[in-house]
Amino acid sequence: MLLSGVLVVVTAANVTGTPGHLTGGLIFAVFLALMGGPPWPGRGHYPASAVALMALTLAPLGVLTPSGEHPFASADPLWQLLVVGALLVVNGLLDHRALARSLPQPAGEEE
């Protein structure tokens, strides 16, 4: 179901001529938001990172670069993939922190 929705979005973006970096960034943002899935408590960093990725994708960052082109809009999707990878690493570290805090301390250890 989700994959068919993504395929419809990608097809519609190709037909309308939407730039690829917008389509890719928004699809990655939706996937990040879905990874946090309900129940949201304790996993709010996923929707927050999805909002951050959407903001970076939609922001006019081209005015800050010498070429005038958005960093995600180049032919090589390196910058977009690096940002998504960094967000996944940060989310994984936050998940690990939450998991480590939720586990009980062993009987012989003190904080």
Side-chain angles (χ1 to χ4, degrees):
M1 174 84 171
L2 179 64
L3 182 59
S4 62
V6 170
L7 291 175
V8 167
V9 169
V10 170
T11 304
N14 284 336
V15 169
T16 60
T18 304
H21 75 280
L22 290 177
T23 307
L26 296 178
I27 287 174
F28 279 129
V30 168
F31 283 150
L32 280 171
L34 290 175
M35 286 172 66
W40 295 112
R43 298 191 59 141
H45 48 277
Y46 282 99
S49 63
V51 168
L53 182 60
M54 282 193 303
L56 285 174
T57 301
L58 298 174
L61 298 177
V63 297
L64 302 175
T65 61
S67 67
E69 184 180 45
H70 194 288
F72 292 172
S74 65
D76 185 22
L78 176 69
W79 290 110
Q80 189 171 31
L81 293 177
L82 284 174
V83 169
V84 171
L87 288 172
L88 288 173
V89 167
V90 169
N91 286 332
L93 290 172
L94 291 171
D95 282 345
H96 174 73
R97 179 176 162 241
L99 177 64
R101 288 183 172 192
S102 69
L103 296 174
Q105 293 289 329
E109 291 184 19
E110 293 184 26
E111 290 183 25

